[in-house]
Amino acid sequence: MSDVKYWNPTLETLPQEKLKSLQLRKFQRILRWAYDKSPFYHRLYSDAGLEPGDIKTFDDIRKVPKTDKAMLREIQATKPFPYGNILAVPINQVTEFRQTSGTTGQPVYHPETWQDWEWSAESWAYALYAQGYRSTDRVFMPFGYSIFIAFWAAHYAAEKIGCEVIPGGVLDTEARILKMQELRATSFMATPTYILGMADTARKRLGIDPAKDLFVKKITSAGEPGALVPATKKRMQEAWGAKVYDQVGATEIGHWGFECEAQSGEHILEAFHLVEIEDIETGSPVTTPGRSGSMIVTTFDRLAHPCIRFDSKDVVRLSTTEQCECGRTFRLLDGGVIGRADDITKVKGVLLAPTAIEEVVRSIPELGNEYQVVVTKKGDIDDIALKVELLPEHKKERKQIEERLINQLRLKTNLRYELEFHEYGDLPRASLKSRRFLDLRGQAH
Ligand SMILES: [Zn+2]
């Protein structure tokens, strides 16, 4: 039997200059497609006095108007039902329906054609291959196959590479762990919240130590930024005795970044996406490594619902590492998505990124994985409370742990918090995405 190639990893070592000219060609093509086929995009560009032929160089790309999630919500309310006038293919070519899993606001519907779907699986295949997935892997998928895109494309990508894929959909957490043990799964994919939650359940309810009693060697983490928050990555890797790799994407954008086996940051999947970074305050382009900015993404070759210069509001930072030791030429981001332009907020006049709090809480081993931050306003004064869980075996050291927590928080975030210690297991747990940062200042008390 010949070795059938279901996917094509040929673009990941192109020199940056060649990659840029490929990106320009792909950008021109999707721009033309959207202008010709999508009434929404045609109007957006006509109103701006722009025609696809105006984009002749890489720098011209900045002339193209941006889009964002609020626009997508508005479009969805227009005719025809249910995607509004952005759809760039006849509706009978749509084969997949998903919707965004955001924790706030009306979900955005997302259509894909069969070709788009193949493309999504291919983009995940680049990531999984870079993380060492091969045809010898038995991959367990502990997620509810649902209306959210989550790990659907990852499932097909693992199949494209030739892995054996076990859909662990309707099982509960304990049954999933036992199945993984029974079948000797070598890898799985989940959100950081669930990766930690599963390890907890294995130890406490089943008496199974995932690092010793299971066969998992690598885990792909997606949906939340934890795998590139050093303290969270360390917790996950230690709990499972496995490498944990980050993977980033969003329903409307696709899978645009991944960590490789070298674990030196997040590679941008530049053969599939154009990532531009803009200064959060001035909007000017950020090209200097080490400086952070808001990410604007264009997704090439996704035809039903084109995504062109989409302002993701994700905050990212280019890495100072120019060449990754894995040999891939795709540029690296330091720390993956380090925050949301929406989430980075001023508390008591200080700029605060919620991931900084996560880093502190998870670097203190006597505390549980869960925490919650609540920001409120009393009169004109902001109040910030942090709820943490103290592990039962460390109850007596509470005073000393509290001091360490206060010091670390002040050092890393320049703020003082009202601390609340809870019993282990008291704070809410979620299996998909957790909402750990609650800003209630706009609400009456
Ligand atoms: Zn690499």
Side-chain angles (χ1 to χ4, degrees), residues 130 258-265 267 324-328 330 332:
F258 62 88
E259 201 179 0
C260 70
E261 280 183 290
Q263 294 187 314
S264 44
H267 281 289
C324 183
E325 61 185 76
C326 75
R328 286 175 183 80
F330 297 159
L332 283 168

Side-chain angles (χ1 to χ4, degrees), residues 131-134 136-142 158 163-164 166 180 184-189 215-220 242-243:
Q131 292 162 3
Y133 286 74
R134 296 292 181 272
T136 44
D137 277 302
R138 186 170 293 134
V139 183
F140 192 85
M141 303 298 285
C163 306
E164 185 180 348
I166 310 160
M180 282 167 68
R184 302 186 184 183
T186 57
S187 46
F188 73 93
M189 307 182 202
F215 303 85
V216 173
K217 291 283 163 283
K218 52 186 165 289
I219 302 168
T220 298
K243 291 274 187 189

